[in-house]
Amino acid sequence: MNKNFLTFLPPVFLTLLLSLPLLGFFAQENSKDILLLQRWDWVLYATAAVFLANSVLIVLKKYPLPSFAISPPAKNLNALKALLFLGLLALPFLSSRSTIDLATLVLLYICLAWGLNITMGLAGLLDLGYVAFYAIGAYTTAILSHYYGLSFWQCVPLSGLVAAIFALVIGMPILRVQGDYLAIVALGFAEIVRIVATNWQSLTGGPNGMSGMPRPTFFGLEFGRTSSSGLPTFQDFFHIPFNSEHRLIFLFYCILGLAIIIYVVSKRLRCLPLGRAWEAMREDEIACRALGINLPRIKLSAYSIGAGIAGLVGAFFATKQGFVSPESFTFNETAMIVAMVVLGGMGSLWGICIAATFLVLLPELARGLADYRMLLFGLAMILVMRFKPNGLISVRQPTVKMS
Amino acid sequence: MRTPLLDVTDLTMQFGGLTAVDGVSFTAHQGEITAIIGPNGAGKTTLFNCLTGFYKPTQGTLLLHTADKSIRLDTLPRSHIAAKAKIARTFQNIRLFTGMTVLENLLVAQHNALMRASGFCIAGLLGLPRYRKAEQHALEKARYWLHKIDLTDKADWEAGNLPYGDQRRLEIARAMCMEPVLLCLDEPAAGLNPKESADLNTLLQDICNTEKTSLLLIEHDMSVVMNISHHIIVLEYGRRIADGTPQEIKNNADVIRAYLGEESA
């Protein structure tokens, strides 16, 4: 008991020490000047909260909760997946414009995280410059449509392709370095891309960005109030009244389709020799070499497939925002996507899906909490790290079974 | 008549001022188990690393004779040695893909063949019959080896969870799934108990006789070396000090001196 009491002391003391300056003082602005006020009661609350949390942890250590595994029977799981799919299909008809917008954003991030999952989760290449390929995809769409007048559906595959080619060219030198070094070099590359986009005024519009993105069409039918292509507009063709939400809903379905394609492809790739080689490379590069596996080729494939996916998503992002600027592609984005992959569980598509949903929705849903939402965000991450250190779903499914 | 498989001529490997392997020459023959022995630091593993493309030798030639042609290993790009010359190896400290299952380990070893069959993923992604057939074939081979090393029941285990002896055998089976002409084993009996060691002898002899793969073996366990090898090469300080049959080696004065120390006069 005495010993337990002692383990309380350091965290409580530390909280007290930190909260004295951080919480104890605050600034308030009145009409004339800024006042420095005190609120010592907050310090007390924080210290009490840490004290309580510590006691709970100590009790939990003594009487642990029954551990639960996230592995419900496969039959229920499939039913759950089907239900989720139907729910997503029905979503645009049941919800408001802002919800559809948010759902589209969540899907975009899920796609991005699944792309990074190939590079980082399966092949183990810590790519801290992932956002560069996202940016290249978005800018490719912007530039191709602005200067060459290409339509959205022409831009999408080209964006993916251009991002993948960039990854191949960049990957050749930088994949020679390993581990942490790769992370730093990739980080540098992402910064270069962002800085080039900021400074190449004549091509990218610099910090002002580019607007007037191509709009997706439904097999050539436009969603605008009037048509520019000579074909009837979407609403005229189907004889329904004009609604500006149509385009939004269509975009949502397009990105849902993209997500499903990425899901299926990455699931299948994992069970192919290439996917197995990715995982083997993550486990032991030297053993891979001894087995005659062409490591540079395997690395480049993982790097450029992940980048290609980011490029595709970038094209959709550009059209969703209707605007691209360098500010959308800062390191924060990469950090966010890496966090999704790590918190979700490296290699686990569903874990990553849950983590991405959570990380995108949390700041949005907690908007009411104003300044404290980032605090909540941090708390959530700490909880995952404390209780699920290997990610939400850390059980690896074998790619092949003896039967 | 013995046919030579591997000709090592005047092999030298220097790291800065240190000469780890110093002008070693020997010949390993087809269908034989050739053992390389020597005290710690004699350059055995360095020799292996030169052979399997992990190091580029400073000097000397390595010539591998296959049925239709001879391959210069020392000039072949290092990454091609395992794939093109079909030389497989195991490691002194086991290197399995510990997070993957036993069966997956054996499939990764067949990567190059499967990759070709999957049309670099296109045929595989589409699930074409050509790829399915190749995958079935690969699984068949994996099952064959699982049966041989007696791990069929543990096929779906994570390789890292296997007991030590099983891991050693799995690493050998994984190397054999490449269908090599020459298998280089770096201390396969290290850490095995006498029974496991005896089982290993049987496995290695089987590989040599049934699978027609020649073996090159680094080993300290003399019960393995003397019982199964046809031909022994002894290294000391990077030099070859003896070369002969187990019987000759046992009675070689230089070998006795290297292992037991010089008799003080």
Side-chain angles (χ1 to χ4, degrees):
Chain A
M1 191 61 224
N2 208 3
K3 211 171 155 194
N4 277 345
F5 182 71
L6 280 179
T7 59
F8 271 55
L9 280 179
V12 171
F13 181 69
L14 197 68
T15 315
L16 194 67
L17 208 70
L18 282 176
S19 57
L20 274 177
L22 291 177
L23 293 175
F25 296 98
F26 71 108
Q28 200 173 48
E29 209 174 340
N30 64 11
S31 53
K32 284 193 290 291
D33 48 10
I34 297 171
L35 298 173
L36 187 66
L37 303 172
Q38 290 125 37
R39 44 179 187 198
W40 302 122
D41 49 335
W42 283 44
V43 176
L44 206 68
Y45 298 147
T47 317
V50 171
F51 181 81
L52 270 177
N54 264 290
S55 357
V56 169
L57 278 183
I58 285 172
V59 172
L60 272 183
K61 218 179 247 174
K62 236 174 190 169
Y63 310 98
L65 292 173
S67 66
F68 58 96
I70 309 185
S71 56
K75 216 189 336 177
N76 291 348
L77 211 62
N78 277 338
L80 207 67
K81 282 178 199 170
L83 205 69
L84 181 73
F85 180 65
L86 289 178
L88 280 173
L89 277 187
L91 184 93
F93 302 103
L94 303 172
S95 52
S96 65
R97 193 188 174 106
S98 63
T99 316
I100 301 171
D101 224 29
L102 193 58
T104 312
L105 191 69
V106 170
L107 280 175
L108 271 180
Y109 273 98
I110 290 175
C111 292
L112 274 177
W114 278 347
L116 183 63
N117 178 48
I118 289 180
T119 313
M120 200 172 92
L122 296 181
L125 305 167
L126 181 51
D127 180 9
L128 289 187
Y130 188 63
V131 78
F133 303 113
Y134 183 37
I136 288 171
Y139 268 104
T140 305
T141 296
I143 289 167
L144 285 181
S145 71
H146 187 265
Y147 295 102
Y148 302 99
L150 262 56
S151 76
F152 177 70
W153 292 115
Q154 288 168 318
C155 286
V156 169
L158 285 174
S159 297
L161 201 66
V162 169
I165 290 170
F166 260 92
L168 275 180
V169 173
I170 296 299
M172 270 180 222
I174 77 170
L175 289 175
R176 287 172 174 272
V177 295
Q178 291 180 344
D180 308 347
Y181 303 102
L182 171 67
I184 299 299
V185 178
L187 183 66
F189 170 63
E191 279 304 289
I192 292 171
V193 168
R194 195 175 61 81
I195 291 168
V196 166
T198 313
N199 290 293
W200 197 342
Q201 289 270 0
S202 57
L203 183 73
T204 65
N208 299 327
M210 298 174 81
S211 54
M213 290 303 130
R215 299 295 189 185
T217 55
F218 182 79
F219 295 104
L221 303 179
E222 289 181 25
F223 285 91
R225 202 172 278 280
T226 55
S227 171
S228 61
S229 64
L231 283 165
T233 59
F234 180 74
Q235 61 271 13
D236 289 347
F237 189 82
F238 288 99
H239 302 292
I240 46 174
F242 174 74
N243 185 341
S244 61
E245 273 184 32
H246 284 159
R247 176 161 57 213
L248 217 62
I249 294 173
F250 179 61
L251 191 64
F252 172 80
Y253 282 132
C254 287
I255 296 175
L256 182 63
L258 179 73
I260 291 170
I261 291 171
I262 294 173
Y263 176 82
V264 172
V265 167
S266 44
K267 223 178 146 115
R268 292 207 75 153
L269 271 179
R270 200 178 151 249
C271 298
L272 287 177
L274 183 64
R276 255 181 242 126
W278 286 340
E279 288 196 89
M281 181 174 74
R282 180 190 65 199
E283 303 271 331
D284 196 328
E285 289 195 10
I286 291 178
C288 279
R289 261 179 70 182
L291 293 174
I293 293 176
N294 188 333
L295 277 179
R297 191 187 288 170
I298 298 294
K299 271 189 189 178
L300 274 179
S301 66
Y303 200 62
S304 56
I305 290 176
I309 290 175
L312 289 177
V313 182
F316 281 91
F317 172 78
T319 187
K320 176 186 172 293
Q321 299 294 91
F323 174 74
V324 288
S325 83
E327 270 159 60
S328 310
F329 309 107
T330 55
F331 176 66
N332 278 351
E333 293 296 308
T334 306
M336 188 89 157
I337 302 163
V338 169
M340 287 167 189
V341 176
V342 172
L343 294 183
M346 298 260 226
S348 152
L349 291 175
W350 284 102
I352 290 169
C353 175
I354 295 168
T357 311
F358 182 75
L359 287 185
V360 177
L361 284 188
L362 189 74
E364 300 291 334
L365 295 181
R367 244 177 228 292
L369 292 171
D371 292 347
Y372 301 103
R373 66 197 178 106
M374 286 321 277
L375 203 65
L376 204 66
F377 193 85
L379 185 70
M381 287 188 117
I382 289 175
L383 286 178
V384 172
M385 283 185 268
R386 170 67 182 77
F387 294 103
K388 282 266 165 201
N390 292 324
L392 291 173
I393 300 180
S394 49
V395 186
R396 182 181 173 274
Q397 291 292 328
T399 59
V400 60
K401 283 215 169 190
M402 190 80 169
S403 55
Chain B
M1 186 60 208
R2 296 159 78 192
T3 25
L5 174 68
L6 175 74
D7 272 320
V8 176
T9 318
D10 195 27
L11 182 73
T12 301
M13 181 75 219
Q14 285 176 324
F15 300 99
L18 178 85
T19 308
V21 176
D22 190 0
V24 169
S25 305
F26 67 89
T27 302
H29 296 273
Q30 234 151 44
E32 286 193 357
I33 300 180
T34 309
I36 300 173
I37 63 171
N40 286 330
K44 305 182 297 285
T45 300
T46 308
L47 178 77
F48 259 37
N49 284 340
C50 291
L51 266 177
T52 49
F54 282 81
Y55 296 154
K56 190 119 204 147
T58 319
Q59 232 181 62
T61 52
L62 300 163
L63 201 60
L64 184 81
H65 307 285
T66 57
D68 46 344
K69 59 182 186 292
S70 294
I71 306 173
R72 276 283 292 274
L73 297 179
D74 50 310
T75 52
L76 202 64
R78 293 190 300 170
S79 56
H80 288 180
I81 288 189
K84 298 238 167 89
K86 291 271 178 206
I87 295 183
R89 72 170 291 177
T90 65
F91 294 87
Q92 201 168 346
N93 41 349
I94 309 172
R95 285 188 176 273
L96 289 172
F97 306 119
T98 47
M100 302 172 82
T101 67
V102 172
L103 190 59
E104 284 174 315
N105 267 274
L106 296 182
L107 286 182
V108 171
Q110 304 176 51
H111 173 81
N112 286 322
L114 276 174
M115 197 70 177
R116 271 191 300 278
S118 81
F120 299 94
C121 283
I122 308 297
L125 270 180
L126 300 175
L128 296 185
R130 173 169 89 124
Y131 172 67
R132 281 178 200 209
K133 222 169 126 190
E135 197 183 30
Q136 276 312 317
H137 180 74
L139 278 170
E140 211 42 63
K141 199 199 285 179
R143 282 202 198 98
Y144 172 78
W145 278 103
L146 282 174
H147 178 72
K148 259 201 174 164
I149 58 170
D150 205 15
L151 279 182
T152 311
D153 300 339
K154 296 176 183 165
D156 293 331
W157 282 36
E158 264 184 27
N161 292 341
L162 289 177
Y164 187 80
D166 288 350
Q167 293 196 13
R168 280 267 176 224
R169 290 208 307 284
L170 176 59
E171 205 192 12
I172 294 172
R174 186 181 67 180
M176 284 308 294
C177 277
M178 281 175 61
E179 294 185 340
V181 291
L182 178 67
L183 174 63
C184 303
L185 299 160
D186 199 345
E187 297 198 24
L192 299 187
N193 65 33
K195 183 184 173 298
E196 287 173 326
S197 193
D199 287 347
L200 180 76
N201 281 358
T202 323
L203 177 67
L204 296 187
Q205 276 174 326
D206 177 68
I207 288 176
C208 186
N209 298 331
T210 326
E211 309 295 330
K212 304 291 175 214
T213 295
S214 314
L215 295 178
L216 202 60
L217 176 75
I218 293 179
E219 190 48 74
H220 285 298
D221 185 338
M222 287 303 146
S223 71
V224 175
V225 173
M226 292 300 167
N227 281 336
I228 66 170
S229 48
H230 302 99
H231 177 194
I232 299 178
I233 291 137
V234 190
L235 298 184
E236 191 195 16
Y237 298 119
R239 284 187 196 167
R240 192 190 75 179
I241 58 169
D243 183 343
T245 62
Q247 209 51 46
E248 289 163 8
I249 295 296
K250 257 185 215 168
N251 305 319
N252 184 304
D254 283 334
V255 178
I256 295 168
R257 180 190 49 76
Y259 269 90
L260 300 177
E262 201 130 18
E263 217 173 308
S264 51

